[in-house]
Amino acid sequence: MRDFLSGQSEADRDRFLNGLSPNALAALPWLFEHWALEGHQLPPEGDWTTWVILGGRGAGKTRAGAEWIRARVEGACPEDPGECSRVALIAETLDQARDVMVFGESGILRCSPPDRIPDWQASRRRLVWPNGAEARIFSASDPESLRGPQFDCAWSDELAKWPKGQATWDMLQFGLRLGTRPRQLVTTTPRNNALLRAILADVETVRTAAPTSANRMHLAKSFLETVTRRYAGSRLGRQELDGAMLTDVEGALWTWPMLEAARTPRPLELTRVVVAVDPPVSAGEDADECGIVVAGVARDGHPKDWIGEVIFDGSVKGATPTVWAARAVELFHRFKADRLIAEVNQGGDLVSTVVRQVDPLVSFRAVRASRGKAVRAEPVAALYEQGRICHRGAFPALEDQMTAMSVNGFTGRGSPDRVDALVWAMTELMIEPAESWREPRVRGL
């Protein structure tokens, strides 16, 4: 409906609205299925038990939860029964359940049309609809309060920060035993939380997700501009704004806290810069990415005092050899690099040939991998652990690959081409020079 109206001229909109009956016009604001944001606010199709909405701050999760509860408990007319009649509303605390899920700006009371507004009975901590359906609020700090009650529907809000999450969730599952198909909704900003990971991994779970920006029309412009400027690309921003689920793999060579610690407030005074390339085997939409990373090093004194810096991730996907070679050479000149490095295990002499075709004078070095990816990456990861490599800003796609690289290999999708390029760059700048470094002799001794 929103898209339909926005696509009409003012005259056509007026004609459409004037053609509605008084009842239809009065009902229009309450027809959420016509106003919902596409992709995350409406329940997915299918035979699922748990629906998880992962969203950034202000993405519309609470509104989606309140409207889903309405859709479950309301009938065709105010006093007609709906699909569900016994609902559990769980938040971190009772105050949050009441203030956000019930009375909030996007809570159940604000979302209900005048003839269907449920009655809030404070002494019993429950909502009662005109058709007799009930919703009780619970605190995730008190799992035992869920022992005994029975439900056919539940809404769990901000589950990722529940203080006693697992125990509360377990008690809720035992209570979801009424009706023919009990279902539950989880609305939360994602965190690296064992309970949330387990719920998402369940075969009966479906998920939808959206960033904060998806709901921009209902947010203050200054808020969105400010938080985007301050946090875009950072781990906190990807979690709180993008609604991304950031997890650390078991045995990961890089963790998110490690990468957050690597952010540098200002560029380093670099003594050397290189562009490293990990070429794909093929080209096209289904091909792996061509990893292209620009990095530098500030060398001062002993190798233990050297600091490396990731400057730019220029990786490209689906590119032909000519395209990725041109991209690498362009970055070589843009960042005034000393050398362009490329792995030649797959392409052999073709790699250097295509680079020379783009720029015959570029300083080029071919490198060949003789060890596995994880083994090659470990010395570079150790430099991160020592605080000796920093990032000039945030590189989400590269960092996703880094945190998916474990001692047992890459656990992400496809090939870790960006990580490979990073490893080749830091090996050239820090690992190999340090291995061959000798204390300078004092002249005359």
Side-chain angles (χ1 to χ4, degrees):
M1 180 68 72
R2 180 183 64 250
D3 293 338
F4 168 76
L5 291 176
S6 63
Q8 305 298 311
S9 67
E10 184 175 353
D12 288 338
R13 284 199 300 269
D14 290 342
R15 190 177 303 112
F16 170 77
L17 295 173
N18 290 333
L20 297 177
S21 68
N23 283 342
L25 194 60
L28 193 59
W30 311 103
L31 301 178
F32 184 67
E33 63 271 23
H34 295 298
W35 302 106
L37 297 172
E38 294 183 6
H40 76 288
Q41 286 192 315
L42 293 178
E45 300 291 335
D47 188 27
W48 49 266
T49 297
T50 306
W51 171 26
V52 178
I53 302 178
L54 299 177
R57 298 285 188 90
K61 303 184 297 297
T62 303
R63 178 65 184 271
E67 294 287 359
W68 185 72
I69 293 298
R70 275 193 58 211
R72 299 287 286 172
V73 303
E74 293 179 4
C77 296
E79 296 186 1
D80 290 346
E83 294 181 41
C84 300
S85 60
R86 295 294 179 269
V87 181
L89 306 175
I90 307 106
E92 181 180 7
T93 65
L94 289 173
D95 286 348
Q96 290 178 359
R98 181 193 64 227
D99 296 344
V100 176
M101 304 173 81
V102 176
F103 286 93
E105 290 293 326
S106 299
I108 293 171
L109 293 179
R110 291 289 187 96
C111 295
S112 299
D115 60 342
R116 296 166 186 260
I117 295 178
D119 178 43
W120 170 247
Q121 298 178 354
S123 61
R124 303 189 65 177
R125 297 173 182 165
R126 71 175 185 177
L127 287 169
V128 181
W129 274 263
N131 63 5
E134 298 180 3
R136 295 177 55 186
I137 64 171
F138 297 88
S139 167
S141 298
D142 184 16
E144 292 299 307
S145 64
L146 285 159
R147 187 185 293 275
Q150 304 179 84
F151 313 103
D152 50 20
C153 179
W155 172 21
S156 300
D157 190 45
E158 293 298 349
L159 174 142
K161 67 187 187 78
W162 284 2
K164 298 181 180 179
Q166 188 65 61
T168 302
W169 183 257
D170 291 342
M171 289 297 100
L172 174 60
Q173 304 317 297
F174 285 117
L176 275 171
R177 55 181 185 260
L178 295 180
T180 58
R181 191 68 169 91
R183 283 183 163 181
Q184 58 191 332
L185 169 64
V186 175
T187 53
T188 188
T189 302
R191 291 185 179 183
N192 187 11
N193 175 290
L195 172 60
L196 182 56
R197 291 199 305 270
I199 293 171
L200 290 171
D202 192 282
V203 295
E204 294 188 343
T205 295
V206 294
R207 78 162 85 180
T208 59
T212 299
S213 58
N215 198 30
R216 63 172 64 86
M217 65 185 298
H218 296 121
L219 301 173
K221 183 180 179 181
S222 59
F223 160 78
L224 199 56
E225 290 176 347
T226 299
V227 296
T228 299
R229 184 181 69 253
R230 291 179 179 175
Y231 303 110
S234 69
R235 184 178 191 273
L236 184 62
R238 297 194 64 204
Q239 174 181 283
E240 302 293 331
L241 297 180
D242 297 341
M245 183 71 174
L246 305 179
T247 60
D248 290 330
V249 174
E250 183 176 354
L253 297 181
W254 288 275
T255 65
W256 286 108
M258 187 189 302
L259 295 179
E260 283 299 296
R263 312 273 182 231
T264 179
R266 62 184 63 85
L268 301 180
E269 294 289 337
L270 301 174
T271 55
R272 192 168 179 229
V273 174
V274 300
V275 176
V277 182
D278 182 63
V281 178
S282 58
E285 292 185 2
D286 297 328
D288 290 330
E289 294 175 312
C290 176
I292 306 176
V293 170
V294 184
V297 65
R299 293 181 182 172
D300 184 15
H302 195 278
K304 65 180 177 61
D305 298 319
W306 297 352
I307 302 295
E309 182 178 33
V310 179
I311 302 171
F312 188 78
D313 178 9
S315 304
V316 292
K317 182 173 177 60
T320 63
T322 302
V323 171
W324 62 250
R327 171 72 160 165
V329 170
E330 184 270 322
L331 293 174
F332 176 89
H333 292 297
R334 186 201 306 181
F335 290 97
K336 298 179 174 58
D338 306 286
R339 181 169 292 174
L340 193 155
I341 306 159
E343 182 182 317
V344 297
N345 283 53
Q346 302 292 341
D349 292 339
L350 174 63
V351 175
S352 59
T353 299
V354 72
V355 171
R356 298 292 186 199
Q357 287 175 346
V358 176
D359 186 345
L361 301 179
V362 71
S363 175
F364 177 82
R365 180 192 174 200
V367 292
R368 188 176 295 275
S370 59
R371 300 177 296 170
K373 296 178 186 294
V375 175
R376 295 199 311 273
E378 284 181 355
V380 177
L383 295 176
Y384 276 85
E385 287 185 302
Q386 297 164 13
R388 294 177 54 203
I389 297 180
C390 58
H391 286 195
R392 187 180 292 184
F395 307 105
L398 169 61
E399 291 166 5
D400 279 347
Q401 287 192 359
M402 294 172 73
T403 54
M405 180 67 77
S406 75
V407 293
N408 298 316
F410 185 59
T411 63
R413 295 181 180 179
S415 178
D417 306 284
R418 298 170 190 258
V419 174
D420 280 348
L422 166 69
V423 169
W424 285 123
M426 289 305 171
T427 299
E428 169 76 14
L429 293 169
M430 299 185 72
I431 304 296
E432 290 181 353
E435 290 175 349
S436 60
W437 191 83
R438 296 288 184 273
E439 286 282 358
R441 295 185 178 183
V442 179
R443 188 181 300 272
L445 296 182

